[in-house]
Amino acid sequence: MSAAYGGHLEVMGALVAAGADVMARDSDGNTALTNAAYAGQRAAAAWLLDHGAEVNARGKNGKTALSVARERGHKDVASLLEAKGRTE
């Protein structure tokens, strides 16, 4: 999740290759995709989606990565998530 927040694609790749789950959740129910959306990391969000991240996953607060991207003003990430099938 930290790698997604920081946009570290190489680290993300190494973690997944070592068995990390792209749909793992933190204590608030957020996924790496939500973290990437929060930080405006479009490339990380795209990578996660290409590797099986669920675009419609919701955290415990009910928010999706798309709603987080919109709240934070990350229009490029929001457009990517919309293109991958999420609408609200």
Side-chain angles (χ1 to χ4, degrees):
M1 290 189 207
S2 295
Y5 183 87
H8 303 292
L9 302 182
E10 298 83 17
V11 175
M12 291 165 52
L15 289 168
V16 169
D21 180 3
V22 296
M23 286 303 298
R25 294 175 180 266
D26 65 15
S27 60
D28 293 321
N30 296 316
T31 64
L33 183 58
T34 305
N35 284 353
Y38 182 89
Q41 297 289 350
R42 187 188 186 287
W47 190 96
L48 288 161
L49 291 167
D50 288 345
H51 288 84
E54 172 55 50
V55 70
N56 298 315
R58 293 182 181 273
K60 289 180 181 177
N61 61 7
K63 295 181 181 180
T64 64
L66 176 57
S67 60
V68 170
R70 286 180 175 161
E71 286 175 4
R72 303 281 298 168
H74 300 303
K75 293 178 183 179
D76 56 336
V77 177
S79 293
L80 168 71
L81 296 168
E82 289 167 352
K84 292 293 185 174
R86 180 66 195 162
T87 57
E88 292 186 310

